[in-house]
Amino acid sequence: MASPDDSDVVVVGAGIAGLTAAALLAREGLAVLLLEAHHQSGGCAGTFRRGPWIFDVGATQVAGLEAEGIHARLFATLGVAPPAATPLDPGCVVDLGDDTPVWIHRDPEAWHAERLRQFPGSEAFWNLCAAIHRANWAFAGRDPVVVPRSWWDLSQLIGALGPATLASGLLTGATVADLQRLSGCDGGPAGRRLRQFLDLQLRLYSQEPADRTAALYGATVLAMVQRPLGLWHLEGSMQELARPLERALARDGGQLRLRHRLERLRPPLDRQAPWILEGSGPGGAPFQVAAREVVFTLPPQTLPALLGDALPAGYRQRLAALPEPSGALVFYGAVERQRLRGPEVGHRQLAWNNPGSLFVSVSRDGDGRAPIGDATVIASVFTPARPWCTGPEAAYQQRKADAGQGIARGLETLLGINPDDWRHRELATPRGWSRWTGRPFGYVGGLGQHPRRFGPFGLASRAPLPGLWLCGDSLHPGEGTAGVSLSALTACRQLLARRGISLPLPDRGAEPPAAAGESNGPAGDGGSPAVAPTRKRRDDHR
């Protein structure tokens, strides 16, 4: 085996969290090596091709590209242009199975009118959510360290607190279902219909229904679609989100090594020694690299196997007690666009029993995912992961076929697509996801945003072993490209603070989003944020 390469930092996993962390650290002059087991970056926000069609693997929409959003602020800091994107309006159309679909409009006034029509008597609930969201927005804008493990972390948390944050903190242990009860709109047919809508939407972003989703988390994700926030559709594919981060990393001297799978993490033997990372590269060739610090973006459940006896017993027990994350069934299909029934809406959700509620994404004509006149259709549903990776092969294949047929029937109900209409179709199960991402049992989306795991009760980015930092969808604030980018920013700020380096992002402004039914005046949907110049390399930290 060759002698170890030396880096200041090795980042493990080139999903959006890993790319963000690596690019930020390289910009500050550190020698950064980014390891990725797959043949491309992007992780769950990657893509693959089948003939003339390009499919987004998992994520199909992006939050945080508005001028004050986390992705826009990061791209401005890194000095790279953001990907071409357009805001989704509506963000989603939710079919509750009663012939009255709910249109989640981007315009706050249109959404206010829609929810009054769809959920009469629920305005107290939405006003309470809006108040919590405004407090969340002000708090998050100060870049707090939500799970402090040092005096510096605590100072960042205290500095971000305000009166509204302290007031909303009284609801730290509450769920979204509790907010519905507190608002007095949980009874009768209208209350049950609202609960059904909340369960469907929150399952997408929290992996939990309303009675298991933290109120402080749910209040914000329910407001993500409306201006001045928004959900965005990328031109080309979701891979376009990774490319600017790759360019920034390469420009600032960082290295990205694909097809390098980590198999062993060895902590330093003393304060002067480095971390040693071992694994297999292209063709199975072994590799070994050394670094002063490691940023780890894989699921934390993988740490016991990678660290062995070096992992502290208490932390091992905590990881063992974590709930089982979900897996996903994802249907990828291509069809002539004229075969699609109903309005041209990019994202829909369908209450469906077999195999579960569907989230459906349809490409736009000319967005680069399909030839003109064709459309790609992606339908996903959460599922327990482990059962798909165990048991006899024949039983697995039968279960997979049954799930694919169930999803196809749901798409026939929602979009009018008949079995003979498909020009291409395939189904990915957690077994396939485990091969694609390298995650145990094909876990996706982190731990779920239950009150006992959200915010201050979650895992800290500062791991119990010095020099090991965690980020990704199992850390605050959770899943999605915006969430994992925020977790990467937190880990980088902590790492750099130990070296005496500050990492501020452009101010996103003090004005909070408009409350439901209110308006802050005209808001633009496009425009690139000002591009900041690249900072000089810090050779003293090389």
Side-chain angles (χ1 to χ4, degrees), residues 259-418:
R259 302 181 188 273
H260 279 67
R261 184 176 298 277
L262 179 66
E263 296 170 350
R264 184 75 174 171
L265 262 174
R266 299 187 185 276
L269 298 177
D270 55 57
R271 291 188 177 184
Q272 283 68 47
W275 281 82
I276 302 297
L277 297 87
E278 299 172 347
S280 56
F287 73 84
Q288 185 179 90
V289 295
R292 304 302 303 181
E293 302 187 81
V294 175
V295 177
F296 190 81
T297 74
L298 307 185
Q301 293 91 338
T302 61
L303 285 172
L306 292 171
L307 284 163
D309 294 339
L311 187 67
Y315 199 71
R316 181 185 299 275
Q317 292 172 0
R318 185 176 186 192
L319 294 180
L322 292 175
E324 186 91 355
S326 292
L329 300 170
V330 188
F331 178 99
Y332 305 100
V335 67
E336 289 182 281
R337 190 168 294 274
Q338 65 181 4
R339 303 291 183 183
L340 301 175
R341 182 184 64 200
E344 292 191 11
V345 175
H347 301 276
R348 302 189 189 192
Q349 199 172 15
L350 174 66
W352 193 247
N353 292 324
N354 181 22
S357 61
L358 301 180
F359 178 66
V360 180
S361 299
V362 180
S363 65
R364 296 179 178 177
D365 218 13
D367 68 1
R369 290 167 172 81
I372 297 297
D374 278 5
T376 60
V377 178
I378 302 172
S380 59
V381 56
F382 284 114
T383 183
R386 191 183 295 261
W388 288 94
C389 301
T390 58
E393 179 67 18
Y396 166 79
Q397 293 297 339
Q398 184 60 55
R399 188 180 182 190
K400 180 178 180 180
D402 292 343
Q405 291 172 6
I407 293 174
R409 286 193 294 270
L411 293 173
E412 181 177 354
T413 299
L414 186 67
L415 301 175
I417 304 175
N418 295 313

Side-chain angles (χ1 to χ4, degrees), residues 211-233:
D211 64 349
R212 294 179 58 83
T213 294
L216 299 184
Y217 181 83
T220 286
V221 299
L222 290 171
M224 282 198 307
V225 172
Q226 283 75 50
R227 285 195 308 260
L229 307 182
L231 296 175
W232 299 77
H233 178 80

Side-chain angles (χ1 to χ4, degrees), residues 166-302:
L166 295 173
S168 66
L170 298 174
L171 296 169
T172 298
T175 68
V176 174
D178 291 331
L179 300 184
Q180 190 181 0
R181 283 191 291 272
L182 286 171
S183 304
C185 56
D186 60 327
R192 290 192 292 271
R193 189 168 186 272
L194 174 60
R195 176 61 179 274
Q196 182 188 15
F197 170 81
L198 294 173
D199 284 346
L200 286 175
Q201 279 287 286
L202 293 171
R203 192 78 167 94
L204 284 179
Y205 304 110
S206 159
Q207 295 205 45
E208 301 281 9
D211 64 349
R212 294 179 58 83
T213 294
L216 299 184
Y217 181 83
T220 286
V221 299
L222 290 171
M224 282 198 307
V225 172
Q226 283 75 50
R227 285 195 308 260
L229 307 182
L231 296 175
W232 299 77
H233 178 80
L234 296 187
E235 298 300 319
S237 72
M238 284 294 298
Q239 198 73 36
E240 297 303 316
L241 189 65
R243 291 192 173 107
L245 299 171
E246 284 191 25
R247 290 196 295 270
L249 175 65
R251 179 202 63 205
D252 292 332
Q255 298 182 57
L256 168 60
R257 293 185 187 174
L258 301 174
R259 302 181 188 273
H260 279 67
R261 184 176 298 277
L262 179 66
E263 296 170 350
R264 184 75 174 171
L265 262 174
R266 299 187 185 276
L269 298 177
D270 55 57
R271 291 188 177 184
Q272 283 68 47
W275 281 82
I276 302 297
L277 297 87
E278 299 172 347
S280 56
F287 73 84
Q288 185 179 90
V289 295
R292 304 302 303 181
E293 302 187 81
V294 175
V295 177
F296 190 81
T297 74
L298 307 185
Q301 293 91 338
T302 61

Side-chain angles (χ1 to χ4, degrees), residues 485-507:
S485 295
L486 278 167
S487 75
L489 172 63
T490 298
C492 289
R493 290 177 63 232
Q494 292 172 304
L495 186 157
L496 290 169
R498 295 205 329 161
R499 295 168 173 256
I501 305 172
S502 175
L503 182 60
L505 264 64
D507 183 21

